[in-house]
Amino acid sequence: AEHQHARYNPLRDDWVLVSAHRVKRPWQGQLEKPPPEDVPRWDPNNPLCPGATRANGEVNPQYEGTFVFPNDFPALQPDAPEPDDSDHPLFRAAPARGLCKVMCFHPWSDLTLPLMSLAEIRAVIDVWAELVTELGASYPWVQIFENKGAMMGCSNPHPHCQVWASSFLPNEARLEDRTQREHLSQHGVPMLLEYAEQEACRKERVVVENVDWLVVVPYWATWPYQTLLLPRRHVCRLQDLTEGERDSLASIMKRLLIKYDNLFEISFPYSMGWHGAPTGPHLGEDCRHWQLHAHYYPPLLRSATVRKFMVGYEMLAQAQRDLTPEQAAERLRSLPEVHYK
């Protein structure tokens, strides 16, 4: 806890430098503005609200639950042309096609997931599974991700996430596919299934748990209060979850996100996303090496106004963190599960 050391991340096949003593240094750097507390419940000028007009002129329905629609400014389109042939191996390009969707969690702009009911969170999970099934029927990768808070690049306070389906496996997916495949080949058990069993026994990095799920600050965490959400049984994809597992997932998500908000008593910013076995042409392949999981990457370090910057050494050498994962887990674990509001 007091001396710097490096920890290996088997999921990404890289290392993180842990320098817990650095959190004691004085801070005279940038201070972030806390997120606004006065977000209106409904705003006719907010393009994600029910009944509002979006940039393309389409009017949203008066939705009362979740709402999914095509991204008006998609990063991926299904009909992009083939790139020109390369004349040199150092100048390679490849086709990139896909679909991008936006999913609103709730009609109210002043709600976030930890403030929603368990039934409302369960409805979000069900739509996630439906989208992975629908888009994954043809696309190899379906990435569900939520950027929460302006600090993480979210341009709209309305509770929502994005779903991008791509004709290729993105870098993180290819990396996790390789490392998990190698672990199963060498050890005979899926990496993250074994890891969850180890963490459940050791307890020191567990934040919350229930009969079906486990949330830990991973041993190799990079971001200060990063967490990893893992099922206890072997599950490859979101759509493979049972009814009971979806209910308990809604519960553990709410508990985790309440603790996040309670840490600094703000609407806690983060980027999160689901990783599961590839889809499309991979549906017929042996994907037993994969274990479904969700990553949460929050940027805040010391307070609601001081964030962790991934610059300098992190960009040019390797990731570095300023408190141990065990310290972060203990602090999160000790927080109440009743929202501060």
Side-chain angles (χ1 to χ4, degrees), residues 76-95:
L76 292 164
Q77 297 177 323
D79 54 356
E82 294 274 341
D84 294 335
D85 292 335
S86 172
D87 62 355
H88 193 281
L90 293 178
F91 301 93
R92 297 167 59 190

Side-chain angles (χ1 to χ4, degrees), residues 231 233-238 240-241 245 290-293:
R233 78 171 178 97
H234 188 201
V235 184
C236 287
R237 301 179 178 93
L238 261 173
D240 299 333
L241 296 175
E245 287 168 338
W290 269 92
Q291 174 74 328
L292 177 70
H293 59 282

Side-chain angles (χ1 to χ4, degrees), residues 5 109-110 189:
H5 59 281
S109 292
D110 59 342
V189 61

